[in-house]
Amino acid sequence: MPTPDAARSGTFAIGGDMTVNRLGFGAMRVTGPGIWGPPADPEESRRTLRRVPELGIDFIDTADSYGPYISEELIAETLAPYAKVHIATKGGLVRSGPNKWTAVGRPEYLEQEVHMSLRRLGLERIDLWQLHRPDPDVPLDDQFGAVAGFLKEGLIRHAGLSNVSVEQIKQAQKHFPVATVQNKYSMSDAASEDVLAYCEAHKIGFIPWRPIDGGNPSVEKPAFKALMQKHDATASQLVLAWMLKRSPVMLPIPGTSKVSHLEENTAAAAIELSDDDVKTLNGLR
């Protein structure tokens, strides 16, 4: 396995002025089953978080709904003060139990969650705060207007969106500069290709959630296995290498609660795919 070093993934400047290594870390999995409650092995989750900056990862994505609150609290407990690590969090989803997610986009609720995330993370300003999912029961302009207010008040440095369409991004841009978009995207899920193209055209960071799709049938195909052998890579490493090659605005955030898995994912940054390799992988989608 190549030496794990996220710096080999290249960099991207979020919002034009916050440069991070493109391969980041998603902190959803450091919580319990169903993304609910504390992790089954709290110390291993802490070891994993402590290992993150040692591997050159300087961009961590979390959300107030992971746990809920558990992920943010563990990040602060193990990594604060954060030095060169940038913490991104999200708000706008409430939890009533394991695997239950409900969008709440009332401005007063979003404001409360920004303040609570600041408190839990031990920050005076959040580097990147993202609306987790637009609430269909609240006018979008009210939700986006609230986010613009957080920027104006200095509560957050940059603002992003998650689980949105191109039209929703355009509507949000009338209120504030959209620094990132976080949508589901993987080799086996191309539903957000139009969103990725828009982000690339406007230099908006694209953060694919669930970048390693365990249900991807392509990994069983001979051409995929041949590339795994060629690069001495696992299936997940090959997918991450493809994603990094796919677009310069792509910021994959594979998540885990185990140090060994974290190191394996990070080693993907060292895999250099040729144009022919990429063409082969594209053909397997």
Side-chain angles (χ1 to χ4, degrees):
M1 182 177 73
T3 301
D5 182 3
R8 300 186 69 171
S9 64
T11 61
F12 178 80
I14 294 174
D17 65 1
M18 191 173 84
T19 300
V20 299
N21 291 329
R22 290 174 57 211
L23 186 62
F25 176 73
M28 184 174 74
R29 295 292 176 187
V30 298
T31 61
I35 322 305
W36 184 261
D41 188 343
E43 189 47 45
E44 179 66 6
S45 288
R46 293 187 185 97
R47 281 194 293 267
T48 301
L49 287 168
R50 284 193 291 266
R51 188 74 174 119
V52 165
E54 295 173 353
L55 297 175
I57 297 171
D58 56 7
F59 179 64
I60 297 176
D61 178 84
T62 185
D64 59 23
S65 55
Y66 296 165
Y69 316 137
I70 299 294
S71 178
E72 289 183 332
E73 291 169 351
L74 281 173
I75 289 169
E77 176 188 332
T78 55
L79 294 178
Y82 302 103
K84 296 181 180 180
V85 176
H86 298 283
I87 309 297
T89 193
K90 299 182 289 294
L93 288 182
V94 297
R95 308 295 305 284
S96 57
N99 293 315
K100 295 181 180 180
W101 311 79
T102 304
V104 176
R106 296 191 306 275
E108 65 272 18
Y109 174 74
L110 298 179
E111 183 177 14
Q112 170 187 300
E113 288 309 292
V114 168
H115 282 286
M116 293 302 292
S117 288
L118 284 165
R119 182 186 300 180
R120 282 188 293 269
L121 290 167
L123 292 168
E124 295 184 359
R125 183 180 67 168
I126 294 169
D127 280 336
L128 173 64
W129 186 90
Q130 303 153 103
L131 180 64
H132 208 152
R133 182 177 297 155
D135 184 344
D137 297 324
V138 177
L140 282 176
D141 286 332
D142 290 355
Q143 299 176 67
F144 298 153
V147 178
F150 306 154
L151 285 165
K152 186 176 181 179
E153 293 176 53
L155 301 174
I156 64 177
R157 177 176 175 180
H158 294 295
L161 303 170
S162 184
N163 301 298
V164 289
S165 66
V166 170
E167 288 307 312
Q168 289 171 326
I169 300 170
K170 291 179 179 179
Q171 189 167 345
Q173 286 176 312
K174 296 176 183 178
H175 295 269
F176 62 88
V178 176
T180 58
V181 170
Q182 186 169 163
N183 277 17
K184 187 173 185 292
Y185 187 87
S186 65
M187 274 193 65
S188 59
D189 189 334
S192 286
E193 285 291 351
D194 61 332
V195 175
L196 174 58
Y198 184 86
C199 289
E200 192 168 311
H202 293 83
K203 294 182 172 57
I204 296 170
F206 184 89
I207 306 171
W209 61 265
R210 203 178 179 189
I212 301 173
D213 192 341
N216 182 1
S218 298
V219 301
E220 296 301 323
K221 295 181 179 179
F224 191 95
K225 290 185 175 181
L227 284 177
M228 287 173 57
Q229 184 173 8
K230 174 184 175 181
H231 292 283
D232 190 22
T234 66
S236 295
Q237 288 173 334
L238 193 59
V239 169
L240 286 170
W242 171 81
M243 298 193 88
L244 289 167
K245 192 84 169 180
R246 174 68 185 82
S247 170
V249 305
M250 188 82 76
L251 306 172
I253 49 166
T256 182
S257 60
K258 297 185 181 301
V259 172
S260 59
H261 192 201
L262 171 67
E263 293 174 343
E264 177 184 302
N265 287 339
T266 308
I271 297 174
E272 297 183 8
L273 299 177
S274 69
D275 291 342
D276 286 342
D277 293 339
V278 173
K279 184 177 180 180
T280 298
L281 291 169
N282 288 342
L284 295 175
R285 299 187 71 192

